[in-house]
Amino acid sequence: VISLNKVFTWDYIDTLFTERQKKIAVIAVACNKADDSCFCTSVGYAPDGTEGSDILLKKLKSGGYQAHVLTERGEELVSEYKALFADGDGGEIEPIAKPDELDIDLDKMKKWLDDPANFDHPIWEQMAAKCVGCGGCTFVCPTCHCFDIVDEPHGDQGRRVKNWDGCQFDHFTLHASGHNPRENQPQRWRNRFSCKFKIYPDRFEKKGCVGCGRCIRVCPVNVDITEAMTEISQMTA
Ligand code: SF4
Ligand code: SF4
Ligand code: SF4
């Protein structure tokens, strides 16, 4: 949420986003079970992280949840729905998940990505070799935010529509002239990776990947972003 907020309030205040955001409270649930794709702790986050949440729920061994109220908005929610909350801490909580620690170094990765000599490195071919450009990874990613704006004609009327979009599609950068500056999948894959670990941090001093592993789980051909993260970390002195 913090990541999206930075994008949509940066050089232009996107009221379609901010107006909705004003009306919501974020209730997060601490994670108790990591799978093989999870790596949030390797990119500086945690299964029970509080950043961006108004209330954090932790599962209780006795059933139900322990509620940690983190913001004023969270407090307002609790006072409005008093019947859902009880006093006390509810007893012991279930153990918090422990994802495997990956051998990655975000600073080294950033340094490697900053070097123009690596722009055409063979790793992009290698990572995109199996990729079918389905866009699944960008559509499930909680920090992906790309969109397109289309004018739709309806008789003598029309409407301007904001559509979800993703950089793994071949038409994402296709110009009306037919020219496509990212004409192949390795270039698109390099863009996705650079977006997460170079472009976003350069602009917002934050990481563009939260290590949720969704892109790995959803990929129909088992492309795993952590393979590139590990390899690039090891390539840098
Ligand atoms: S693990 Fe994949 S889906 Fe999750 S934030 Fe990182 S790039 Fe996005
Ligand atoms: S990875 Fe691609 S779709 Fe996702 S935010 Fe970056 S450019 Fe957009
Ligand atoms: S989900 Fe896999 S196959 Fe689909 S675009 Fe992403 S990396 Fe390529």
Side-chain angles (χ1 to χ4, degrees):
V1 176
I2 288 179
S3 161
L4 294 180
N5 190 55
K6 285 191 187 295
V7 174
F8 291 123
T9 58
W10 163 53
D11 57 344
Y12 173 77
I13 306 292
D14 187 329
T15 50
L16 292 172
F17 176 85
T18 54
E19 288 307 307
R20 282 177 173 83
Q21 197 187 26
K22 280 183 203 159
K23 295 176 190 156
I24 61 159
V26 178
I27 302 174
V29 182
C31 179
N32 300 112
K33 194 165 182 276
D35 70 11
D36 290 346
S37 302
C38 298
F39 63 98
C40 66
T41 51
S42 301
V43 287
Y45 294 100
D48 56 351
T50 54
E51 212 181 345
S53 304
D54 296 300
I55 297 177
L56 175 69
L57 299 179
K58 293 183 180 175
K59 201 171 184 182
L60 290 166
K61 285 193 167 167
S62 57
Y65 293 89
Q66 191 179 74
H68 296 250
V69 183
L70 305 165
T71 63
E72 219 171 284
R73 200 179 291 191
E75 276 167 21
E76 281 166 17
L77 195 80
V78 171
S79 51
E80 199 166 327
Y81 293 96
K82 280 194 183 91
L84 296 176
F85 298 89
D87 290 334
D89 69 4
E92 256 189 281
I93 58 162
E94 291 283 354
I96 300 298
K98 284 199 177 113
D100 291 340
E101 285 290 334
L102 303 181
D103 190 13
I104 55 175
D105 184 321
L106 293 174
D107 291 334
K108 283 184 176 177
M109 281 165 52
K110 173 76 169 60
K111 203 171 146 200
W112 190 92
L113 290 166
D114 281 340
D115 184 350
N118 295 321
F119 198 63
D120 288 318
H121 194 278
I123 194 168
W124 309 126
E125 290 269 354
Q126 181 193 313
M127 290 308 299
K130 293 188 291 184
C131 174
V132 294
C134 67
C137 50
T138 53
F139 272 20
V140 295
C141 178
T143 64
C144 272
H145 48 261
C146 284
F147 58 88
D148 192 13
I149 293 178
V150 180
D151 289 334
E152 289 183 352
H154 292 275
D156 60 355
Q157 302 286 308
R159 57 177 193 161
R160 178 156 290 173
V161 184
K162 184 180 178 188
N163 291 317
W164 208 351
D165 206 351
C167 66
Q168 295 307 287
F169 298 125
D170 57 358
H171 56 257
F172 183 72
T173 44
L174 183 64
H175 297 181
S177 65
H179 170 64
N180 193 341
R182 281 186 221 129
E183 59 187 4
N184 57 49
Q185 208 57 29
Q187 292 174 350
R188 292 172 206 131
W189 215 90
R190 174 185 64 207
N191 180 73
R192 176 176 162 241
F193 194 87
S194 304
C195 174
K196 301 297 174 202
F197 301 109
K198 172 173 164 50
I199 302 167
Y200 195 96
D202 271 347
R203 194 160 286 156
F204 303 117
E205 298 172 28
K206 270 296 227 182
K207 295 172 284 275
C209 169
V210 295
C212 64
R214 284 182 181 185
C215 56
I216 304 168
R217 285 179 214 108
V218 82
C219 182
V221 290
N222 301 321
V223 177
D224 182 341
I225 195 167
T226 63
E227 284 174 19
M229 294 169 78
T230 311
E231 210 169 315
I232 291 174
S233 297
Q234 286 163 4
M235 275 194 270
T236 317

